[in-house]
Amino acid sequence: MVSTKYNERIYLSSPHMSGNEQKYIKDAFDTNWIAPLGPNVDAFERELASHVGVEGAAAVSSGTAAIHLALRLLDVKEGDTVFCSSLTFVASANPIVYLGAKPVFIDSEPETWNISPQALELALHDADKEGKLPKAVIVVNLYGQSAKMDEILLVCNKYDVPIIEDAAESLGSTYKDKASGTFGKFGIYSFNGNKIITTSGGGMLVSNDVEALKKARFLATQARDPAPHYQHSEMGYNYRMSNILAGVGRAQLEVLEERVRARRLIFDRYYRELAHIPGMQFMPELVNTHSNRWLTTLTIEEKEAGISIGELLEFLAEENIEARPVWKPLHMQPLFEGARYYPHSQSDNVSEQLFKKGVCLPSGSNMTEEDQTRVIQCIKKFLGIES
Ligand SMILES: *Cc1c(COP(=O)(O)O)cnc(C)c1O
């Protein structure tokens, strides 16, 4: 483990600039189009929509804002319910609460770690019987892996409940050759600093409903009515993306495919080096899907591997390597205490098991081969394996 950079911190996923961002920022400065909106925003929306193959896109200040707007467009109000994947980042569900609605959390299934179609079916069946179907189902594609969209669409269409696809982590992934994030009524992406491409902070709402996107842009700019004075009939938000950040996004989008390739190579190398170790199981990739492998994630059976995951993470932290448990399921969060939850089956609580055993490894596309060697060697050292 002799490396001059031995002590440098290795992050889970840090921003990776292409070098072209400055060009678009310079354009914005040269024309003094700093704010608001402007040509980079329009172009970024067009370019992203065309990249994923939808009719339109609305650039906003975060992925969370995009989810909030999608819920507003589906008329989610106080007293409504919205179904949501349980195994996800809190941002997937917070906007439900912003609107005074109640989340119902749905477990994962083992093949994608994403929403379980059978648990979803049962939850919709119950809700229908109770005469209170949810206004929407938020389907999350974790760590780049698409959920089982065919099965999910089938049950949601049966009950006529629209889907919001939280593709914050899966931009650049596909399901049956169709872009992740384009299966629901609305899809959302995030350009937060740790995502596969970044604008430092930002998000995008996508849809084939161009009218709904127009309404989203209206709501995202304080819902200002067309009038010479300031006139408002609805409550809006200040959620639009700035013209400078959209410039960063345009340059990042140009290298998205490269970033996906890099992250998949990182996954492949971890797999080659670690998958044979007893007790280690990498996150699967569903047939007919292509994951961007945003984060390389695996589960470790502590008994089989003969280690404690907590101690492994501490050991890596001491070596200045950032690794983390997978998301803590939202139904286990104090914030959502008392919320309804549907497990995968009566005997199978998949998200809780994944939380107990799951670990995310550093996966940034700007990680060097030496960085990755350091991570692999540290893990092997902790396990007492010769490398
Ligand atoms: C990052 C993320 C979000 C939120 O995106 P922001 O741009 O940070 O608001 C939402 N859902 C998931 C699954 C995420 O990983």
Side-chain angles (χ1 to χ4, degrees), residues 211-354:
E211 285 308 307
L213 290 172
K214 247 189 227 162
K215 179 80 192 267
R217 293 188 193 95
F218 164 78
L219 290 171
T221 44
Q222 308 285 18
R224 190 175 163 193
D225 295 335
H229 52 277
Y230 282 90
Q231 163 121 347
H232 305 272
S233 328
E234 273 187 86
M235 181 190 69
Y237 312 93
N238 184 4
Y239 273 172
R240 282 292 257 165
M241 182 182 277
S242 91
N243 195 49
I244 294 188
L245 298 191
V248 176
R250 294 182 71 188
Q252 287 273 292
L253 188 59
E254 289 167 358
V255 292
L256 174 60
E257 297 314 308
E258 262 173 64
R259 299 293 183 257
V260 173
R261 273 198 298 280
R263 296 216 185 217
R264 287 185 64 89
L265 283 175
I266 286 166
F267 177 93
D268 290 346
R269 177 143 181 246
Y270 279 131
Y271 189 90
R272 272 201 312 279
E273 296 276 356
L274 303 172
H276 61 277
I277 297 171
M280 295 217 173
Q281 187 131 39
F282 281 73
M283 184 181 190
E285 186 173 43
L286 188 71
V287 248
N288 289 325
T289 67
H290 190 81
S291 170
N292 68 14
R293 293 291 190 195
W294 173 54
L295 294 184
T296 292
T297 307
L298 70 162
T299 56
I300 305 175
E301 293 289 346
E302 293 186 320
K303 277 209 188 97
E304 258 183 86
I307 57 142
S308 135
I309 293 171
E311 282 169 19
L312 169 66
L313 295 180
E314 267 172 45
F315 180 77
L316 292 173
E318 278 162 20
E319 301 281 339
N320 224 2
I321 294 168
E322 187 187 18
R324 292 210 190 158
V326 302
W327 301 121
K328 179 174 180 173
L330 298 184
H331 73 271
M332 297 170 75
Q333 298 284 359
L335 172 65
F336 295 115
E337 209 185 320
R340 221 160 156 182
Y341 167 65
Y342 281 85
H344 181 52
S345 73
Q346 276 190 333
S347 54
D348 258 335
N349 205 321
V350 177
S351 59
E352 290 187 14
Q353 285 303 312
L354 289 170

Side-chain angles (χ1 to χ4, degrees), residues 3 86 169 232 340:
S3 163
S86 187
E169 301 175 5
H232 305 272
R340 221 160 156 182

